Amino acid sequence: MKIYYTYHIGDPETGKIFYVGKGHGPRMYIHLTRALKWRETGKIIPGGNRHLYNKLLNIYDKGLEPIYAKIFSSEIEREVLDQEEIDIKKF
């Protein structure tokens, strides 16, 4: 059984949330891994978010870590998608 969740990623210097997402497992942490791979190879995965990756790399280059927060979780994916939409509208 999968547990889905919504998450926020924030700037550690300002505390401001700059990304809202939905996933399961380690999803919220994958963005930085993909950003580092993009930097290394110059290739972005289909559907990759250059703006997000640049923000994460800027934080990483300062020796900081983004703020990761799980906001809502459920076994019902539709509930999590609805919550993601609400959170996106907030930010």
Side-chain angles (χ1 to χ4, degrees):
M1 148 179 58
K2 285 185 184 175
I3 302 294
Y4 299 94
Y5 59 87
T6 58
Y7 60 94
H8 296 172
I9 303 176
D11 186 316
E13 294 182 301
T14 65
K16 186 176 179 180
I17 293 166
F18 61 86
Y19 188 80
V20 172
K22 170 237 165 227
H24 62 87
R27 171 68 177 143
M28 72 178 156
Y29 304 108
I30 297 295
H31 301 293
L32 180 56
T33 302
R34 289 181 176 168
L36 291 166
K37 187 169 191 108
W38 173 49
R39 174 189 281 171
E40 180 184 319
T41 66
K43 296 178 185 176
I44 197 163
I45 64 156
N49 183 328
R50 292 173 197 265
H51 177 73
L52 172 61
Y53 293 174
N54 280 321
K55 178 72 175 171
L56 290 169
L57 290 170
N58 183 281
I59 291 168
Y60 178 84
D61 289 344
K62 293 177 182 176
L64 301 172
E65 283 199 32
I67 299 168
Y68 297 100
K70 284 186 183 179
I71 303 304
F72 175 79
S73 62
S74 174
E75 295 174 9
I76 303 167
E77 187 174 17
R78 180 78 251 162
E79 288 180 353
V80 175
L81 286 166
D82 291 345
Q83 184 63 49
E84 179 189 32
E85 187 176 327
I86 290 167
D87 288 354
I88 287 171
K89 287 178 182 177
K90 281 185 201 174
F91 301 103

